[in-house]
Amino acid sequence: MTTWLNTPIQMQFRVIDGLTVRFAQSEDRAADALLLSPWPESLLAFEPVWARLAEQVHLVAIDLPGFGHSQRRDALLSPRAMGEFIIRAADAFGLGHPHVVGPDIGSTAALFAAALNPGRLRSLVVGSGGAAVPLQLGSRLKEWVETTDLEEYRSADPRQIVAGALTGIRRYALPDAIREDYLSSYGGDRFAESMRYVRTYPAELPVLRDLLPQIGTPVQIIAGQHDTAVPPVNAEFLHHRLPHSKLDILDAGHFTWEDAADEYAQLVSTWWDGGYAITGSAAAR
């Protein structure tokens, strides 16, 4: 099955680890990159940077299980479990040593993947995802993490919840078709169930904290200075603990990949063009 929107991204579906996963990929290049969908969006969040990054690297973008339009498996709705799925997805696409771009919820999953599979990933680009211990999150996201009952969210209109989150996109004129893709991604109980991922943060982020100093994979961290959902202290927390990291804070809010697309693409492009190798060298830190 193939679906087209008025974007350079051609979306398809395939079965990975028994789950139907939506993905898109660009033309073959010498290097590969796996792009992980942010929440509550989908792989179409990469539309503003897709064409530029695809000139350099073979891109494979996926809606993570339970997010976007990919099938859910409850057992994967935690950063560590999703990190294990990232490796299985890379294997499924034949990506032997890929870069990984994991903004938002993809940050913790990508970091777990790198920590538990040394040498498997070439580099990471993360940011705008909860990481600090104790939690340092905006009030709405903190409420989603700490709520003791999901029934309130199951009975609410998920389109209104997602639309409210998308008001954080301030500079990018979100195309109607992509907005509708985001809204339809979390219909029914999908938004409430997707909350299970961030609700594991109190248990999983301390585990990740202890693994960070052991991660040898080079990590580019990109955060928004005005991010009220995931304040930049989370990016600084990672930068101070990762042995091979580079931190850039942009003049933007949470959705840096859309609101600061040019700067985001430039940082990623420069990183892939050799910045990761410099950061990963012993002399870098």
Side-chain angles (χ1 to χ4, degrees):
M1 175 178 179
T2 301
T3 304
W4 286 86
L5 290 181
N6 187 26
T7 77
I9 301 180
Q10 179 185 2
M11 294 176 294
Q12 305 174 63
F13 291 84
R14 69 178 294 174
V15 175
I16 302 174
D17 194 31
L19 296 172
T20 301
V21 173
R22 190 172 70 164
F23 75 98
Q25 63 179 326
S26 64
E27 294 181 2
D28 286 346
R29 303 290 186 204
D32 303 302
L34 182 62
L35 280 57
L36 313 175
S37 58
W39 179 62
E41 298 185 305
S42 73
L43 63 83
L44 288 176
F46 297 110
E47 191 274 339
V49 301
W50 183 265
R52 180 170 178 179
L53 298 182
E55 292 178 354
Q56 184 178 8
V57 169
H58 168 232
L59 307 177
V60 177
I62 62 172
D63 282 342
L64 291 168
F67 300 93
H69 286 271
S70 288
Q71 187 178 7
R72 181 178 77 240
R73 178 181 295 150
D74 289 350
L76 292 179
L77 292 178
S78 72
R80 180 167 185 153
M82 198 68 80
E84 294 169 352
F85 178 83
I86 288 170
I87 300 301
R88 292 194 288 273
D91 290 343
F93 286 103
L95 309 181
H97 192 44
H99 300 287
V100 172
V101 178
D104 193 71
I105 58 162
S107 294
T108 47
L111 289 164
F112 264 114
L116 300 176
N117 300 271
R120 178 66 175 82
L121 305 176
R122 190 182 301 267
S123 81
L124 307 182
V125 178
V126 303
S128 301
V133 180
L135 291 175
Q136 299 287 329
L137 304 173
S139 59
R140 178 165 52 179
L141 180 54
K142 191 170 186 288
E143 178 183 322
W144 292 351
V145 170
E146 295 180 346
T147 184
T148 58
D149 187 1
L150 290 180
E151 290 306 317
E152 172 188 353
Y153 296 93
R154 289 195 182 96
S155 62
D157 182 351
R159 293 176 68 90
Q160 288 188 6
I161 298 174
V162 174
L166 296 179
T167 61
I169 302 175
R170 303 294 175 84
R171 303 176 188 171
Y172 175 57
L174 189 62
D176 290 343
I178 294 181
R179 180 184 296 275
E180 180 56 32
D181 186 82
Y182 296 166
L183 296 175
S184 63
S185 290
Y186 299 96
D189 70 349
R190 281 181 62 84
F191 182 81
E193 293 302 317
S194 70
M195 290 172 61
R196 293 183 182 277
Y197 184 95
V198 296
R199 283 165 52 75
T200 67
Y201 280 4
E204 297 229 330
L205 291 187
V207 177
L208 180 60
R209 172 200 59 199
D210 295 342
L211 291 173
L212 293 176
Q214 306 169 32
I215 295 177
T217 307
V219 183
Q220 164 74 68
I221 308 163
I222 304 174
Q225 179 65 49
H226 313 294
D227 189 340
T228 58
V230 184
V233 65
N234 290 273
E236 294 162 355
F237 182 91
L238 293 176
H239 184 51
H240 292 155
R241 288 162 178 79
L242 288 164
H244 306 296
S245 67
K246 178 176 177 287
L247 172 62
D248 288 276
I249 298 181
L250 304 182
D251 182 18
H254 178 72
F255 299 90
T256 54
W257 48 94
E258 289 165 312
D259 271 345
D262 287 346
E263 297 93 331
Y264 192 93
Q266 181 61 49
L267 285 170
V268 176
S269 179
T270 301
W271 179 252
W272 289 346
D273 198 34
Y276 74 93
I278 296 172
T279 302
S281 71
R285 297 297 290 254

